[in-house]
C-alpha cells in the first residue's frame, strides 16, 4: 500500500516536472503564446482539481479500492499518447486527463494509506508522499536538462511518464478495500477478513458495536461544513491553497524567473535548487513529527513569507544575493509541503475522509492553476519584485489562517472504528 501510493506521488511530481522542463522548447517549436504557455503549465493542475473533487466523493460512496486501481489505467494511457501530441490543444487535453486520474489518487491514495497505517507511523508515511513527489519532480528536471533539444526527445520525455504509471498499475492489482470504510457501511465480516489476512488482527465481528452508515451522497459536502467540522474544512482549504499557489507557480517557471533575475550559470543554480528541494523534503519530516502539525505549519508559513519578501526587496541585487532567499524558500517549502499530505487525512472522519481529502486537494489545485497561469503574465507586466511581493501576501494569508484555526491532529485516529 505504501509503495504504490508513493509511486503515484512520484508519477505526479514527474508529470508536473516534465512540463516545466520542456515548456521553453515548446514555446519555440509550437510558437506558444503566453496564454497557451500558461494553460499547458496549468493543464494537469486543472485535471487534478476535477478528479479530486468529483472522485473523492465517489470513493466515500463506493469504496476506495476500485478507484485506486483504475485511475492509473487512464494515467498510463494518456501519458503514453503525449508522444504524438504535436499541437498545444492535443497536449492540453491529454495532460488534463493525466491530472484527472492523479486527482482521483490524491483523494483516494492518502485516504487509503491513512486507514491502513499504524498511528505511530502515519505522519511519517503520509509526509513522505511529498518527498516522493519531489523525487519525481527533480527526476523530470534532470532528464529535461540532459536530453537534446529536439522534437522527438521532448515528446519521448513527455511520454516517459507512462513507465512509472504502468508499474504502479501492475503493483496495485490485488490491493484490498479499506476495512475502516467497510466498517462504516456495516460490512464487519469483510472488514474482519481483511484485517486478519493483511494486518494479522484477530477480531470478533460479533463483538463490533453498531456503526452508522455513511451519510447519503447528496448530504456529504454539506456535512464537511457542518458545526464542529466546518472550521477544520475551511482551514484545510485555505492553508493548502496558500502553500501550493506560490510553489507551483515558481517551480513551473523557474527558468523564466532565473532569466528575469539575470542570474548567470542557470544550470548550476538549478542544481542547487533541486538539491535544496530533495534535502528539504527529507529533513522536513523530522520537525513535522517532533513539533506537531500546528506549530510546524505556522512557523513554516512565516519563514516562507520572509524568504519571498526578501526576494521582492532584493530584486535588483546580485544573482547570488538573490539565490540565498530563493534557496531558503525552496528548502523550507519542500519540508513544509509534507504536511499537505498529512493534515487532510487527519481533519476528517472516515465516512467523510475521501470527500474531504478530495475537496482540499481539488481546491488547492485551483490555486495552483491560477498561480501557474498568472505568474508568466505577472513577470511580463509587473516584473519580478512585485510578483514576489504578491506571492508573499498569499503566504502571509496562510500564516494568519493557520495561527487562528490550525488544529493539532497528531493523535487523531484514522482507523477509529470498532477495532479500537
Amino acid at each position: 500500500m505504501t509503495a504504490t501510493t508513493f509511486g503515484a506521488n512520484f508519477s505526479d511530481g514527474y508529470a508536473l516536472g516534465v512540463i516545466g522542463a520542456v515548456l521553453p522548447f515548446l514555446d519555440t517549436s509550437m510558437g506558444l503564446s503566453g496564454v497557451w504557455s500558461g494553460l499547458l503549465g496549468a493543464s494537469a493542475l486543472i485535471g487534478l482539481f476535477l478528479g479530486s473533487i468529483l472522485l473523492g466523493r465517489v470513493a466515500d460512496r463506493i469504496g476506495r479500492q476500485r478507484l485506486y486501481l483504475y485511475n492509473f489505467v487512464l494515467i498510463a494511457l494518456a501519458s503514453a499518447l503525449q508522444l504524438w501530441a504535436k499541437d498545444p490543444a492535443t497536449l492540453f487535453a491529454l495532460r488534463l486527463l493525466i491530472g484527472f486520474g492523479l486527482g482521483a489518487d490524491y483523494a483516494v491514495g492518502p485516504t487509503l494509506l491513512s486507514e491502513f497505517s499504524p498511528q505511530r507511523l502515519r505522519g511519517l508515511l503520509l509526509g513522505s508522499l511529498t518527498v516522493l513527489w519531489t523525487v519525481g519532480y527533480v527526476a523530470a528536471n534532470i532528464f529535461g536538462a540532459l536530453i537534446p533539444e529536439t522534437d522527438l526527445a521532448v515528446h519521448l520525455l513527455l511520454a516517459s511518464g507512462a513507465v512509472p504509471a504502468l508499474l504502479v498499475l501492475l503493483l496495485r492489482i490485488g490491493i484490498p478495500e479499506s476495512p475502516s470504510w467497510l466498517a462504516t457501511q456495516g460490512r464487519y465480516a469483510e472488514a474482519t477478513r481483511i484485517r486478519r489476512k493483511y494486518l494479522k488482527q484477530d477480531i470478533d465481528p460479533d463483538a463490533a458495536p453498531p456503526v452508522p452508515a455513511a451519510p447519503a451522497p447528496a448530504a456529504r459536502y454539506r456535512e464537511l461544513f457542518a458545526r464542529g467540522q466546518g472550521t477544520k474544512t475551511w482551514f484545510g482549504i485555505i492553508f493548502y491553497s496558500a502553500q501550493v499557489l506560490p510553489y507551483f507557480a515558481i517551480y513551473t517557471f523557474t527558468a523564466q524567473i532565473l532569466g528575469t533575475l539575470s542570474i548567470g550559470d542557470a544550470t548550476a543554480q538549478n542544481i542547487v535548487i533541486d538539491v535544496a528541494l530533495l534535502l528539504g523534503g527529507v529533513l522536513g519530516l523530522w520537525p513535522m513529527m517532533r513539533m506537531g502539525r500546528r506549530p510546524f505549519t505556522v512557523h513554516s508559513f512565516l519563514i516562507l513569507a520572509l524568504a519571498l519578501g526578501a526576494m521582492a526587496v532584493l530584486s535588483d541585487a546580485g544573482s547570488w544575493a538573490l539565490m540565498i532567499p530563493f534557496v531558503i524558500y525552496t528548502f523550507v517549502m519542500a519540508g513544509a509541503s509534507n504536511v499537505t499530505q498529512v493534515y487532510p487525512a487527519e481533519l476528517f472522519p472516515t465516512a467523510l475522509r475521501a470527500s474531504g481529502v478530495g475537496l482540499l486537494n481539488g481546491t488547492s489545485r485551483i490555486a495552483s492553476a491560477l498561480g501557474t497561469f498568472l505568474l508568466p503574465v505577472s513577470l511580463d507586466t509587473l516584473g519580478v519584485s512585485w510578483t514576489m511581493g504578491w506571492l508573499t501576501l498569499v503566504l502571509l494569508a496562510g500564516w494568519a489562517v493557520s495561527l487562528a484555526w490550525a488544529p493539532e491532529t497528531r493523535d487523531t485516529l484514522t482507523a477509529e472504528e470498532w477495532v479500537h
Side-chain angles (χ1 to χ4, degrees):
M1 188 73 69
T2 300
T4 58
T5 308
F6 279 8
N9 279 260
F10 175 91
S11 294
D12 179 30
Y14 190 86
L16 294 176
V18 157
I19 194 63
V22 303
L23 263 179
F25 176 85
L26 296 178
D27 282 341
T28 303
S29 65
M30 291 185 178
L32 299 180
S33 65
V35 172
W36 267 119
S37 182
L39 284 174
L40 287 177
S43 53
L45 300 174
I46 298 169
L48 277 163
F49 160 71
L50 296 172
S52 295
I53 293 288
L54 297 176
L55 298 181
R57 184 177 181 179
V58 171
D60 276 337
R61 184 176 182 181
I62 69 170
R64 310 358 180 162
Q65 186 268 345
R66 279 179 285 178
L67 285 176
Y68 191 70
L69 176 64
Y70 293 122
N71 66 331
F72 262 84
V73 175
L74 174 63
I75 294 166
L77 286 174
S79 296
L81 289 173
Q82 290 180 107
L83 182 61
W84 296 278
K86 302 301 183 180
D87 61 88
T90 302
L91 184 58
F92 176 80
L94 289 172
R95 295 192 61 78
L96 204 65
L97 291 175
I98 293 169
F100 187 80
L102 289 169
D105 213 82
Y106 266 52
V108 178
T111 296
L112 196 56
L113 182 58
S114 73
E115 292 170 356
F116 272 94
S117 300
Q119 185 180 345
R120 62 187 176 83
L121 294 177
R122 186 182 64 231
L124 177 64
L125 295 180
L126 291 175
S128 297
L129 294 176
T130 303
V131 177
L132 268 293
W133 186 98
T134 304
V135 172
Y137 184 88
V138 170
N141 282 337
I142 293 172
F143 292 147
L146 294 177
I147 65 168
E149 292 188 356
T150 65
D151 187 69
L152 177 60
V154 165
H155 282 82
L156 281 171
L157 182 61
L158 285 168
S160 65
V163 176
L166 182 60
L167 181 60
V168 169
L169 172 63
L170 294 174
L171 290 175
R172 286 189 175 186
I173 296 172
I175 290 290
E177 182 57 87
S178 163
S180 296
W181 179 82
L182 289 170
T184 66
Q185 309 300 302
R187 295 161 61 178
Y188 302 121
E190 295 173 70
T192 298
R193 284 196 296 271
I194 290 171
R195 290 195 184 279
R196 284 175 174 167
K197 180 176 181 180
Y198 294 99
L199 304 179
K200 309 305 180 186
Q201 295 175 341
D202 189 15
I203 303 161
D204 180 6
D206 296 329
V211 178
R220 183 152 293 132
Y221 273 109
R222 288 200 298 271
E223 295 210 4
L224 291 174
F225 297 95
R227 183 182 296 274
Q229 181 61 52
T231 300
K232 293 179 180 180
T233 301
W234 280 116
F235 158 70
I237 290 171
I238 297 170
F239 120 83
Y240 203 160
S241 298
Q243 191 178 109
V244 299
L245 188 153
Y247 187 109
F248 282 101
I250 288 173
Y251 296 114
T252 300
F253 295 100
T254 299
Q256 289 88 327
I257 292 172
L258 295 178
T260 303
L261 293 172
S262 301
I263 291 179
D265 196 3
T267 300
Q269 310 282 13
N270 276 318
I271 292 172
V272 171
I273 291 169
D274 287 342
V275 170
L277 279 171
L278 289 173
L279 287 177
V282 173
L283 297 178
L285 291 169
W286 183 83
M288 182 190 68
M289 298 288 289
R290 183 76 174 176
M291 296 169 63
R293 318 314 188 218
R294 176 185 164 83
F296 179 74
T297 302
V298 171
H299 293 142
S300 60
F301 262 124
L302 189 57
I303 297 171
L304 292 169
L306 290 172
L308 279 195
M311 288 189 68
V313 172
L314 299 172
S315 61
D316 294 326
S319 61
W320 282 105
L322 279 166
M323 280 300 295
I324 292 172
F326 197 10
V327 170
I328 292 172
Y329 171 83
T330 299
F331 180 83
V332 176
M333 175 57 85
S337 295
N338 293 337
V339 82
T340 62
Q341 293 293 335
V342 180
Y343 246 143
E346 296 178 345
L347 288 172
F348 303 98
T350 298
L352 295 172
R353 185 165 294 121
S355 295
V357 172
L359 176 67
L360 267 55
N361 277 287
T363 51
S364 74
R365 266 46 194 179
I366 297 176
S368 303
L370 182 64
T372 304
F373 179 73
L374 289 178
L375 189 122
V377 179
S378 181
L379 288 174
D380 287 342
T381 57
L382 300 177
V384 69
S385 180
W386 286 103
T387 299
M388 294 300 110
W390 69 259
L391 290 174
T392 300
L393 293 178
V394 172
L395 292 168
L396 287 174
W399 170 76
V401 168
S402 298
L403 194 63
W405 287 349
E408 182 50 66
T409 59
R410 180 167 49 182
D411 296 327
T412 299
L413 296 176
T414 55
E416 70 273 22
E417 276 70 44
W418 45 277
V419 302
H420 294 289

